[in-house]
Amino acid sequence: MARMTMRITPGVLVRDMTVDDCEAVARVRVRGWQAAYAGLMPQSHLDAMDIAEDAERRREFFAEGNPVVNVVAERADLGVIGWACYGPYRENGRRPARGELYAIYVLPEQIGTGAGRALMAKMLTRATADGFPDLALWVLKENARARRFYERSGFLPDGAEEPFEVDGVLVPEVRYVRALGAS
């Protein structure tokens, strides 16, 4: 297994998400998108994002009993400050053996506090325990900050690129992959 030292900031607790966290996770996701993707996708899309609507989608998702692993990062004084989820890789309706990190976000004012590293450490540990040989993710090609974060976490681009459509605008994404388990 590739060994990586990850500093985890004291005071950050990462735990399984519950249905009671849906509103807080929606706030993290919407504010995360609005901060991370400003200038990278249509601003009209980011401005139209609604925390209440996103929270309702999260509650419906939980009610379906989906096999996606969702975790939150929280601080005792602030509550939920981050969220991440992963599951089987999604590819043209097939489910290959690899895992996929679907999302990892922290509140914009919590970037750099260790919450993202704590979430990533939990995702890597859980995906390894679930037997995935590797973990893939898609990131906006122009999102330099996120790409640096993933590279520091041991992910590397594998050459795959795809456009992601947002309000009729094609936004290029690149795939990153990290091997898990014994190497």
Side-chain angles (χ1 to χ4, degrees):
M1 174 155 95
R3 292 273 175 207
M4 206 170 77
T5 303
M6 298 186 90
R7 285 182 304 120
I8 306 301
T9 303
V12 175
L13 169 71
V14 177
R15 62 170 174 77
D16 286 344
M17 180 183 166
T18 70
V19 71
D20 293 336
D21 296 317
C22 288
E23 186 80 21
V25 166
R27 182 173 56 92
V28 167
R29 182 180 172 277
V30 168
R31 291 195 54 220
W33 268 62
Q34 290 170 334
Y37 304 143
L40 302 179
M41 63 176 53
Q43 189 62 42
S44 59
H45 178 78
L46 298 173
D47 291 344
M49 294 180 79
D50 183 86
I51 292 171
E53 288 175 11
D54 194 87
E56 184 55 34
R57 279 193 300 277
R58 307 245 156 261
R59 282 189 280 280
E60 290 170 6
F61 182 78
F62 262 84
E64 293 171 2
N66 210 304
V68 172
V69 174
N70 284 271
V71 299
V72 294
E74 65 182 357
R75 291 185 188 277
D77 57 336
L78 298 173
V80 172
I81 59 170
W83 162 72
C85 64
Y86 83 91
Y89 188 78
R90 303 164 293 177
E91 182 174 58
N92 299 329
R94 298 177 327 167
R95 298 241 183 219
R98 86 175 358 151
E100 181 177 351
L101 180 63
Y102 302 137
I104 184 167
Y105 293 98
V106 297
L107 291 172
E109 62 273 15
Q110 293 298 312
I111 292 172
T113 66
R117 288 188 305 273
L119 286 164
M120 181 62 80
K122 180 62 81 174
M123 293 287 90
L124 295 171
T125 300
R126 294 279 297 267
T128 299
D130 283 347
F132 289 111
D134 58 20
L135 198 60
L137 61 88
W138 289 92
V139 60
L140 296 185
K141 188 174 189 175
E142 300 302 319
N143 191 341
R145 175 184 245 166
R147 291 180 72 167
R148 282 190 306 271
F149 173 77
Y150 295 133
E151 289 166 6
R152 284 191 310 267
S153 298
F155 287 83
L156 295 172
D158 71 353
E161 293 190 24
E162 267 185 23
F164 173 62
E165 186 178 335
V166 180
D167 288 351
V169 175
L170 294 179
V171 181
E173 290 186 303
V174 294
R175 185 172 62 198
Y176 275 62
V177 178
R178 177 188 164 154
L180 302 173
S183 53

